Amino acid sequence: MIRGLYTVGTGMLTQRKKLDVLANNLANVDTAGFKQDKLLTRSFQDVLIRRIGDSAGKNEVGPYNYGLHTDAVATDFIQGPLDQTDRMLDLAIEGEGFFAVNTEDGIRYTRAGAFRVDENLRIVTADGYPLLGTNGEPFVLASEDVQIDKEGNVYNEGVYINTIQLTNFTNVEGLRKIGDNLYEALDDAGAVAANARVHQGFLEGSNVDLVKQMTDMIEISRSYETHQRM
């Protein structure tokens, strides 16, 4: 009986964690460049149950499992839709890769391409983090007249300045979300140059499937209620 309650309890905890991940996805359905998360679960290892203390001795009853536990939260990096904005510093990446930006904690990566020009005429994110070029330096402009081609080459008043640093990773599981639509690359991420295209005047939308998320929410809620009644 106690084992059965424990198994049902682990199922309820797992469903609650799934709902937390799903709620965060829904909250970011309109966030440019957002990548949805998925909760990965697996069952505990089966154990062999034996009946003891009767005249037959120790008879094997069969395998028993103690329920589910959370394995990891994985990010789905599938391409989001490209939405045309016609704004000069709205940039979208088509293909695999990330913009590199310089933060107070070092270089971080993002798919959110809503950039702006700060008071020092640098191209920065909405939070003020400078966009980096292939030389590892921020873009410093002479004016806000900027043209960017599909290779990421940046021209200011018709003069070439630098090329946007687009970074891909051989192991995307080595990327960790740190908030503000930024990713930190861990040691095993394996940074490489990205083979992608840049679209000026576009933003990549969130890759959250709203209908699928709502359907999953209903299924999770019903599963939780079933475990609760048990």
Side-chain angles (χ1 to χ4, degrees):
M1 181 63 182
I2 299 299
R3 285 197 298 262
L5 290 175
Y6 180 81
T7 301
V8 172
T10 61
M12 293 176 66
L13 289 173
T14 298
Q15 297 306 318
R16 189 179 69 180
K17 291 176 182 177
K18 283 184 177 180
L19 193 60
D20 289 341
V21 172
L22 188 147
N24 183 64
N25 289 339
L26 289 175
N28 288 280
V29 69
D30 293 322
T31 301
F34 179 80
K35 301 302 179 184
Q36 66 179 355
D37 291 323
K38 296 179 180 179
L39 186 70
L40 303 180
T41 60
R42 61 186 175 93
S43 61
F44 289 98
Q45 186 175 359
D46 288 348
V47 296
L48 184 63
I49 302 299
R50 291 185 174 91
R51 186 174 69 247
I52 61 175
D54 57 15
S55 58
K58 296 181 180 181
N59 294 330
E60 293 183 358
V61 177
Y64 181 83
N65 189 279
Y66 287 100
L68 291 174
H69 70 94
T70 302
D71 204 20
V73 176
T75 301
D76 182 2
F77 289 100
I78 190 173
Q79 176 87 47
L82 301 188
D83 302 319
Q84 186 169 358
T85 65
D86 293 324
R87 183 175 169 274
M88 187 173 295
L89 285 177
D90 279 350
L91 306 176
I93 297 175
E94 180 187 2
E96 298 178 345
F98 297 82
F99 297 110
V101 298
N102 193 25
T103 74
E104 59 268 18
D105 297 317
I107 297 177
R108 298 295 184 261
Y109 303 91
T110 185
R111 294 278 296 197
F115 296 102
R116 61 182 177 86
V117 176
D118 69 3
E119 63 277 6
N120 298 315
L121 289 180
R122 301 178 305 170
I123 301 177
V124 298
T125 67
D127 296 309
Y129 301 132
L131 176 68
L132 297 180
T134 52
N135 61 355
E137 297 294 329
F139 291 86
V140 181
L141 308 176
S143 71
E144 296 188 14
D145 179 19
V146 180
Q147 298 81 39
I148 302 171
D149 63 21
K150 288 182 170 53
E151 283 69 44
N153 298 315
V154 178
Y155 300 86
N156 187 204
E157 297 181 345
V159 178
Y160 171 76
I161 300 178
N162 199 355
T163 302
I164 294 173
Q165 182 183 148
L166 296 178
T167 307
N168 198 13
F169 298 91
T170 57
N171 176 30
V172 292
E173 294 180 0
L175 294 179
R176 182 171 64 91
K177 285 186 176 182
I178 59 172
D180 297 326
N181 230 344
L182 296 175
Y183 297 86
E184 178 185 9
L186 304 180
D187 293 338
D188 61 346
V192 294
N195 182 19
R197 294 158 64 91
V198 177
H199 294 272
Q200 186 178 22
F202 287 79
L203 283 177
E204 181 187 7
S206 167
N207 70 352
V208 175
D209 185 336
L210 181 59
V211 175
K212 178 70 165 56
Q213 296 292 307
M214 294 299 292
T215 303
D216 288 347
M217 177 179 285
I218 295 172
E219 292 179 355
I220 292 169
S221 298
R222 289 178 177 173
S223 178
Y224 186 90
E225 292 171 357
T226 300
H227 284 77
Q228 192 177 42
R229 286 195 297 268
M230 292 174 62

